[in-house]
Amino acid sequence: MGLLSTLKSLFICHLIISYVFLVSGILINLLQVCTLPVWLVSKQLARRINIRLGYCIASQVVAVLEWWSGTECTLYTDPKSYPLYGKENAIVLLNHNFEIDFLCGWTFCERFGVLGSSKVLAKQELAYVPVIGWMWYFLEIVFCKRKWEEDRRLVAQSLQNLRDYPENYWFLLFCEGTRFTPEKHRASMQVAESKGLPKLKYHLLPRTKGFWMTVQNLRGTVSAVYDSTLNFRDNETPTMLGVLNGKKYHADLYVRRIPLELIPEEEKECAAWLHKLYQEKDELQGAYEKTGLFPGPKTSPPRQLRTLMNWLFWSCVVLYPLGLMLTHVISSGSALTIIAAVVVSSAADLPSSL
């Protein structure tokens, strides 16, 4: 293990990364609160400001994946569709098999310039979580309670609010609703059998109501659905801890652009269309399991320096006052204070040596 790899695995480094993210996130949340009066004057201006403030938070996580971990992403897609990415509103359908698949979705958004404006369908409880949840609130993320009768009105209204959004956005949607596990898969396939639906090997049954509602409310605003399938080479199972430890992964992402007008408007027909799409995704996943490749041309969109610069900027903003405070404590403190600081530092590094 090299010196840099050893450094990245130290718990104190993970603590610093987390500290920078949390403290800078709270500061940015406070700046977002300050945009509330701007909404009264210009809603679109307030939205544009919040897009950039939201980017300051989300891109820190992307920077950890791209620059700290060094994870690479290869994109398989139609060359005719590639120029449209980032230039139109789209619904992005992602499989939900990995701990960091949301992070790879954000990386996909970042490389095409829509990270700050990206949207998701999230649980209502997340709106109360500092940093990410509060950021999402100001970015007009669509929250749901997972109770259809209540969500029907709430989600529809939130989606309608996006029809006049001032910048291009991608709406990231995990139609399976939860991450794939063997237990959930068995339960899901029992439901498929009871409903007479074809069984899937690598996916859970998609939840059709949320997809149909999203498509219907964003028709005329969104141009296409991006059918996306994510995998990692060499059968790796990436984790956030692995990313924090600086472990490099290689992601393969297959994206197929489907014009929105090809998706049926009627709910039952739309549900059947989505089930058929997931059967195709399952076959695609099966082929990848055998060959380690997706079909079609591939490219590697370059990581952007702006994520690193944003991360370094907020690190300086947050860590400089902390450094001054620690220097003052150590230089003016008693021997007991210095010993206590050494003990705390040693304790912070202890988990990495276990």
Side-chain angles (χ1 to χ4, degrees), residues 191-221:
V191 174
E193 186 175 2
S194 68
K195 293 185 176 182
L197 295 170
K199 291 186 177 182
L200 304 172
K201 185 176 180 180
Y202 303 101
H203 299 82
L204 307 180
L205 278 183
R207 301 185 179 186
T208 60
K209 290 184 181 295
F211 174 74
W212 172 74
M213 176 171 286
T214 302
V215 169
Q216 286 304 99
N217 282 280
L218 294 181
R219 281 190 187 275
T221 303

mmCIF file of all heavy atoms in Angstrom, residues 191-221:
data_model
loop_
_atom_site.group_PDB
_atom_site.id
_atom_site.type_symbol
_atom_site.label_atom_id
_atom_site.label_comp_id
_atom_site.label_asym_id
_atom_site.label_seq_id
_atom_site.Cartn_x
_atom_site.Cartn_y
_atom_site.Cartn_z
ATOM 1 N N VAL A 191 -44.999 -11.313 -5.964
ATOM 2 C CA VAL A 191 -46.023 -10.374 -6.441
ATOM 3 C C VAL A 191 -46.179 -10.499 -7.951
ATOM 4 O O VAL A 191 -47.306 -10.505 -8.475
ATOM 5 C CB VAL A 191 -45.646 -8.928 -6.062
ATOM 6 C CG1 VAL A 191 -46.619 -7.939 -6.685
ATOM 7 C CG2 VAL A 191 -45.611 -8.760 -4.550
ATOM 8 N N ALA A 192 -45.057 -10.631 -8.665
ATOM 9 C CA ALA A 192 -45.111 -10.788 -10.122
ATOM 10 C C ALA A 192 -45.904 -12.038 -10.505
ATOM 11 O O ALA A 192 -46.731 -12.009 -11.430
ATOM 12 C CB ALA A 192 -43.688 -10.864 -10.692
ATOM 13 N N GLU A 193 -45.671 -13.114 -9.788
ATOM 14 C CA GLU A 193 -46.379 -14.367 -10.080
ATOM 15 C C GLU A 193 -47.870 -14.228 -9.818
ATOM 16 O O GLU A 193 -48.697 -14.712 -10.599
ATOM 17 C CB GLU A 193 -45.794 -15.488 -9.226
ATOM 18 C CG GLU A 193 -46.359 -16.866 -9.556
ATOM 19 C CD GLU A 193 -45.666 -17.965 -8.784
ATOM 20 O OE1 GLU A 193 -44.773 -17.656 -7.961
ATOM 21 O OE2 GLU A 193 -46.017 -19.143 -8.997
ATOM 22 N N SER A 194 -48.219 -13.548 -8.733
ATOM 23 C CA SER A 194 -49.639 -13.377 -8.403
ATOM 24 C C SER A 194 -50.367 -12.501 -9.409
ATOM 25 O O SER A 194 -51.576 -12.619 -9.594
ATOM 26 C CB SER A 194 -49.778 -12.782 -6.998
ATOM 27 O OG SER A 194 -49.297 -11.443 -6.963
ATOM 28 N N LYS A 195 -49.613 -11.593 -10.067
ATOM 29 C CA LYS A 195 -50.219 -10.684 -11.056
ATOM 30 C C LYS A 195 -50.055 -11.173 -12.483
ATOM 31 O O LYS A 195 -50.477 -10.502 -13.424
ATOM 32 C CB LYS A 195 -49.602 -9.282 -10.916
ATOM 33 C CG LYS A 195 -49.948 -8.579 -9.613
ATOM 34 C CD LYS A 195 -49.409 -7.155 -9.591
ATOM 35 C CE LYS A 195 -49.830 -6.426 -8.332
ATOM 36 N NZ LYS A 195 -49.344 -5.013 -8.325
ATOM 37 N N GLY A 196 -49.409 -12.331 -12.641
ATOM 38 C CA GLY A 196 -49.213 -12.870 -13.978
ATOM 39 C C GLY A 196 -48.206 -12.106 -14.803
ATOM 40 O O GLY A 196 -48.280 -12.119 -16.039
ATOM 41 N N LEU A 197 -47.230 -11.476 -14.142
ATOM 42 C CA LEU A 197 -46.200 -10.717 -14.849
ATOM 43 C C LEU A 197 -44.946 -11.563 -15.010
ATOM 44 O O LEU A 197 -44.653 -12.412 -14.154
ATOM 45 C CB LEU A 197 -45.859 -9.441 -14.064
ATOM 46 C CG LEU A 197 -46.973 -8.398 -13.931
ATOM 47 C CD1 LEU A 197 -46.570 -7.325 -12.923
ATOM 48 C CD2 LEU A 197 -47.279 -7.767 -15.289
ATOM 49 N N PRO A 198 -44.201 -11.352 -16.100
ATOM 50 C CA PRO A 198 -42.944 -12.091 -16.273
ATOM 51 C C PRO A 198 -41.978 -11.800 -15.122
ATOM 52 O O PRO A 198 -41.881 -10.663 -14.657
ATOM 53 C CB PRO A 198 -42.397 -11.547 -17.601
ATOM 54 C CG PRO A 198 -43.584 -10.985 -18.309
ATOM 55 C CD PRO A 198 -44.489 -10.467 -17.240
ATOM 56 N N LYS A 199 -41.264 -12.820 -14.669
ATOM 57 C CA LYS A 199 -40.324 -12.643 -13.569
ATOM 58 C C LYS A 199 -39.019 -12.012 -14.065
ATOM 59 O O LYS A 199 -38.611 -12.231 -15.201
ATOM 60 C CB LYS A 199 -40.041 -13.981 -12.888
ATOM 61 C CG LYS A 199 -41.245 -14.538 -12.126
ATOM 62 C CD LYS A 199 -40.865 -15.782 -11.342
ATOM 63 C CE LYS A 199 -42.045 -16.288 -10.523
ATOM 64 N NZ LYS A 199 -41.695 -17.486 -9.714
ATOM 65 N N LEU A 200 -38.400 -11.251 -13.189
ATOM 66 C CA LEU A 200 -37.128 -10.608 -13.478
ATOM 67 C C LEU A 200 -36.046 -11.256 -12.622
ATOM 68 O O LEU A 200 -36.294 -11.643 -11.483
ATOM 69 C CB LEU A 200 -37.210 -9.104 -13.173
ATOM 70 C CG LEU A 200 -38.322 -8.320 -13.880
ATOM 71 C CD1 LEU A 200 -38.390 -6.893 -13.332
ATOM 72 C CD2 LEU A 200 -38.105 -8.303 -15.376
ATOM 73 N N LYS A 201 -34.852 -11.343 -13.165
ATOM 74 C CA LYS A 201 -33.757 -11.980 -12.446
ATOM 75 C C LYS A 201 -32.880 -10.962 -11.720
ATOM 76 O O LYS A 201 -32.370 -11.240 -10.627
ATOM 77 C CB LYS A 201 -32.897 -12.792 -13.412
ATOM 78 C CG LYS A 201 -31.786 -13.585 -12.739
ATOM 79 C CD LYS A 201 -31.025 -14.445 -13.747
ATOM 80 C CE LYS A 201 -29.910 -15.242 -13.052
ATOM 81 N NZ LYS A 201 -29.163 -16.088 -14.024
ATOM 82 N N TYR A 202 -32.720 -9.788 -12.304
ATOM 83 C CA TYR A 202 -31.767 -8.816 -11.770
ATOM 84 C C TYR A 202 -32.426 -7.539 -11.245
ATOM 85 O O TYR A 202 -31.729 -6.633 -10.787
ATOM 86 C CB TYR A 202 -30.760 -8.432 -12.857
ATOM 87 C CG TYR A 202 -30.008 -9.609 -13.429
ATOM 88 C CD1 TYR A 202 -30.364 -10.155 -14.658
ATOM 89 C CD2 TYR A 202 -28.947 -10.191 -12.746
ATOM 90 C CE1 TYR A 202 -29.679 -11.237 -15.201
ATOM 91 C CE2 TYR A 202 -28.256 -11.273 -13.273
ATOM 92 C CZ TYR A 202 -28.627 -11.786 -14.495
ATOM 93 O OH TYR A 202 -27.954 -12.854 -15.024
ATOM 94 N N HIS A 203 -33.737 -7.451 -11.334
ATOM 95 C CA HIS A 203 -34.449 -6.249 -10.910
ATOM 96 C C HIS A 203 -35.665 -6.613 -10.066
ATOM 97 O O HIS A 203 -36.156 -7.746 -10.128
ATOM 98 C CB HIS A 203 -34.919 -5.428 -12.114
ATOM 99 C CG HIS A 203 -33.826 -4.930 -12.991
ATOM 100 N ND1 HIS A 203 -33.243 -5.707 -13.964
ATOM 101 C CD2 HIS A 203 -33.207 -3.723 -13.052
ATOM 102 C CE1 HIS A 203 -32.308 -5.009 -14.592
ATOM 103 N NE2 HIS A 203 -32.261 -3.803 -14.054
ATOM 104 N N LEU A 204 -36.146 -5.634 -9.317
ATOM 105 C CA LEU A 204 -37.437 -5.749 -8.659
ATOM 106 C C LEU A 204 -38.509 -5.246 -9.622
ATOM 107 O O LEU A 204 -38.205 -4.545 -10.590
ATOM 108 C CB LEU A 204 -37.458 -4.907 -7.384
ATOM 109 C CG LEU A 204 -36.331 -5.139 -6.365
ATOM 110 C CD1 LEU A 204 -36.516 -4.208 -5.170
ATOM 111 C CD2 LEU A 204 -36.260 -6.586 -5.923
ATOM 112 N N LEU A 205 -39.755 -5.601 -9.357
ATOM 113 C CA LEU A 205 -40.835 -5.072 -10.191
ATOM 114 C C LEU A 205 -40.875 -3.552 -10.094
ATOM 115 O O LEU A 205 -40.812 -2.998 -8.990
ATOM 116 C CB LEU A 205 -42.184 -5.627 -9.727
ATOM 117 C CG LEU A 205 -42.619 -7.011 -10.204
ATOM 118 C CD1 LEU A 205 -44.021 -7.304 -9.676
ATOM 119 C CD2 LEU A 205 -42.584 -7.123 -11.716
ATOM 120 N N PRO A 206 -40.966 -2.861 -11.220
ATOM 121 C CA PRO A 206 -41.048 -1.395 -11.157
ATOM 122 C C PRO A 206 -42.396 -0.945 -10.613
ATOM 123 O O PRO A 206 -43.413 -1.606 -10.809
ATOM 124 C CB PRO A 206 -40.871 -0.978 -12.626
ATOM 125 C CG PRO A 206 -41.377 -2.147 -13.405
ATOM 126 C CD PRO A 206 -40.997 -3.368 -12.607
ATOM 127 N N ARG A 207 -42.389 0.176 -9.918
ATOM 128 C CA ARG A 207 -43.621 0.766 -9.405
ATOM 129 C C ARG A 207 -44.155 1.719 -10.469
ATOM 130 O O ARG A 207 -43.598 2.793 -10.702
ATOM 131 C CB ARG A 207 -43.360 1.482 -8.083
ATOM 132 C CG ARG A 207 -42.796 0.528 -7.027
ATOM 133 C CD ARG A 207 -42.633 1.170 -5.681
ATOM 134 N NE ARG A 207 -42.111 0.231 -4.699
ATOM 135 C CZ ARG A 207 -41.979 0.492 -3.398
ATOM 136 N NH1 ARG A 207 -42.327 1.675 -2.930
ATOM 137 N NH2 ARG A 207 -41.499 -0.426 -2.586
ATOM 138 N N THR A 208 -45.223 1.320 -11.076
ATOM 139 C CA THR A 208 -45.686 1.996 -12.293
ATOM 140 C C THR A 208 -46.427 3.305 -12.032
ATOM 141 O O THR A 208 -46.396 4.203 -12.869
ATOM 142 C CB THR A 208 -46.582 1.058 -13.102
ATOM 143 O OG1 THR A 208 -47.724 0.674 -12.308
ATOM 144 C CG2 THR A 208 -45.819 -0.204 -13.508
ATOM 145 N N LYS A 209 -47.108 3.417 -10.896
ATOM 146 C CA LYS A 209 -47.929 4.606 -10.656
ATOM 147 C C LYS A 209 -47.076 5.873 -10.598
ATOM 148 O O LYS A 209 -47.429 6.906 -11.173
ATOM 149 C CB LYS A 209 -48.737 4.444 -9.362
ATOM 150 C CG LYS A 209 -49.852 3.413 -9.454
ATOM 151 C CD LYS A 209 -50.656 3.383 -8.164
ATOM 152 C CE LYS A 209 -51.758 2.330 -8.231
ATOM 153 N NZ LYS A 209 -52.771 2.632 -9.254
ATOM 154 N N GLY A 210 -45.955 5.808 -9.865
ATOM 155 C CA GLY A 210 -45.093 6.975 -9.759
ATOM 156 C C GLY A 210 -44.501 7.374 -11.096
ATOM 157 O O GLY A 210 -44.393 8.563 -11.411
ATOM 158 N N PHE A 211 -44.123 6.366 -11.897
ATOM 159 C CA PHE A 211 -43.573 6.658 -13.217
ATOM 160 C C PHE A 211 -44.622 7.303 -14.101
ATOM 161 O O PHE A 211 -44.359 8.314 -14.762
ATOM 162 C CB PHE A 211 -43.061 5.366 -13.863
ATOM 163 C CG PHE A 211 -42.601 5.542 -15.281
ATOM 164 C CD1 PHE A 211 -41.408 6.171 -15.573
ATOM 165 C CD2 PHE A 211 -43.377 5.078 -16.342
ATOM 166 C CE1 PHE A 211 -40.987 6.348 -16.884
ATOM 167 C CE2 PHE A 211 -42.969 5.253 -17.659
ATOM 168 C CZ PHE A 211 -41.771 5.882 -17.922
ATOM 169 N N TRP A 212 -45.828 6.729 -14.122
ATOM 170 C CA TRP A 212 -46.897 7.272 -14.960
ATOM 171 C C TRP A 212 -47.220 8.715 -14.570
ATOM 172 O O TRP A 212 -47.369 9.586 -15.426
ATOM 173 C CB TRP A 212 -48.148 6.406 -14.846
ATOM 174 C CG TRP A 212 -49.344 6.995 -15.526
ATOM 175 C CD1 TRP A 212 -49.571 7.059 -16.874
ATOM 176 C CD2 TRP A 212 -50.459 7.637 -14.895
ATOM 177 N NE1 TRP A 212 -50.772 7.703 -17.120
ATOM 178 C CE2 TRP A 212 -51.335 8.065 -15.926
ATOM 179 C CE3 TRP A 212 -50.808 7.881 -13.572
ATOM 180 C CZ2 TRP A 212 -52.528 8.719 -15.647
ATOM 181 C CZ3 TRP A 212 -52.000 8.542 -13.294
ATOM 182 C CH2 TRP A 212 -52.842 8.961 -14.334
ATOM 183 N N MET A 213 -47.313 8.961 -13.245
ATOM 184 C CA MET A 213 -47.626 10.313 -12.785
ATOM 185 C C MET A 213 -46.527 11.297 -13.186
ATOM 186 O O MET A 213 -46.809 12.431 -13.598
ATOM 187 C CB MET A 213 -47.821 10.324 -11.273
ATOM 188 C CG MET A 213 -48.064 11.705 -10.708
ATOM 189 S SD MET A 213 -48.560 11.689 -8.977
ATOM 190 C CE MET A 213 -50.245 11.112 -9.138
ATOM 191 N N THR A 214 -45.273 10.888 -13.071
ATOM 192 C CA THR A 214 -44.159 11.756 -13.449
ATOM 193 C C THR A 214 -44.210 12.092 -14.931
ATOM 194 O O THR A 214 -44.080 13.256 -15.324
ATOM 195 C CB THR A 214 -42.817 11.079 -13.109
ATOM 196 O OG1 THR A 214 -42.770 10.784 -11.718
ATOM 197 C CG2 THR A 214 -41.645 11.985 -13.476
ATOM 198 N N VAL A 215 -44.406 11.081 -15.761
ATOM 199 C CA VAL A 215 -44.453 11.287 -17.210
ATOM 200 C C VAL A 215 -45.615 12.190 -17.590
ATOM 201 O O VAL A 215 -45.458 13.138 -18.386
ATOM 202 C CB VAL A 215 -44.555 9.936 -17.938
ATOM 203 C CG1 VAL A 215 -44.881 10.147 -19.420
ATOM 204 C CG2 VAL A 215 -43.257 9.151 -17.796
ATOM 205 N N GLN A 216 -46.792 11.927 -17.017
ATOM 206 C CA GLN A 216 -47.975 12.703 -17.390
ATOM 207 C C GLN A 216 -47.848 14.176 -17.016
ATOM 208 O O GLN A 216 -48.244 15.060 -17.781
ATOM 209 C CB GLN A 216 -49.223 12.109 -16.732
ATOM 210 C CG GLN A 216 -49.685 10.802 -17.364
ATOM 211 C CD GLN A 216 -49.942 10.940 -18.858
ATOM 212 O OE1 GLN A 216 -49.091 10.568 -19.673
ATOM 213 N NE2 GLN A 216 -51.077 11.500 -19.230
ATOM 214 N N ASN A 217 -47.296 14.446 -15.843
ATOM 215 C CA ASN A 217 -47.220 15.834 -15.384
ATOM 216 C C ASN A 217 -46.078 16.612 -16.027
ATOM 217 O O ASN A 217 -46.075 17.847 -15.983
ATOM 218 C CB ASN A 217 -47.087 15.868 -13.864
ATOM 219 C CG ASN A 217 -48.405 15.634 -13.158
ATOM 220 O OD1 ASN A 217 -49.225 16.531 -13.022
ATOM 221 N ND2 ASN A 217 -48.622 14.404 -12.702
ATOM 222 N N LEU A 218 -45.117 15.886 -16.604
ATOM 223 C CA LEU A 218 -43.988 16.580 -17.233
ATOM 224 C C LEU A 218 -44.039 16.531 -18.764
ATOM 225 O O LEU A 218 -43.104 16.971 -19.419
ATOM 226 C CB LEU A 218 -42.669 15.979 -16.738
ATOM 227 C CG LEU A 218 -42.361 16.174 -15.239
ATOM 228 C CD1 LEU A 218 -41.017 15.556 -14.883
ATOM 229 C CD2 LEU A 218 -42.380 17.659 -14.868
ATOM 230 N N ARG A 219 -45.123 15.999 -19.320
ATOM 231 C CA ARG A 219 -45.272 16.021 -20.784
ATOM 232 C C ARG A 219 -45.300 17.459 -21.286
ATOM 233 O O ARG A 219 -45.939 18.324 -20.687
ATOM 234 C CB ARG A 219 -46.564 15.318 -21.206
ATOM 235 C CG ARG A 219 -46.481 13.815 -21.204
ATOM 236 C CD ARG A 219 -47.700 13.184 -21.854
ATOM 237 N NE ARG A 219 -47.671 11.739 -21.702
ATOM 238 C CZ ARG A 219 -47.026 10.917 -22.517
ATOM 239 N NH1 ARG A 219 -46.360 11.402 -23.552
ATOM 240 N NH2 ARG A 219 -47.057 9.610 -22.306
ATOM 241 N N GLY A 220 -44.598 17.691 -22.361
ATOM 242 C CA GLY A 220 -44.514 19.041 -22.899
ATOM 243 C C GLY A 220 -43.363 19.832 -22.308
ATOM 244 O O GLY A 220 -42.994 20.888 -22.839
ATOM 245 N N THR A 221 -42.798 19.322 -21.213
ATOM 246 C CA THR A 221 -41.646 19.963 -20.574
ATOM 247 C C THR A 221 -40.402 19.101 -20.718
ATOM 248 O O THR A 221 -39.314 19.597 -20.993
ATOM 249 C CB THR A 221 -41.933 20.202 -19.080
ATOM 250 O OG1 THR A 221 -43.106 20.984 -18.947
ATOM 251 C CG2 THR A 221 -40.768 20.905 -18.411
#
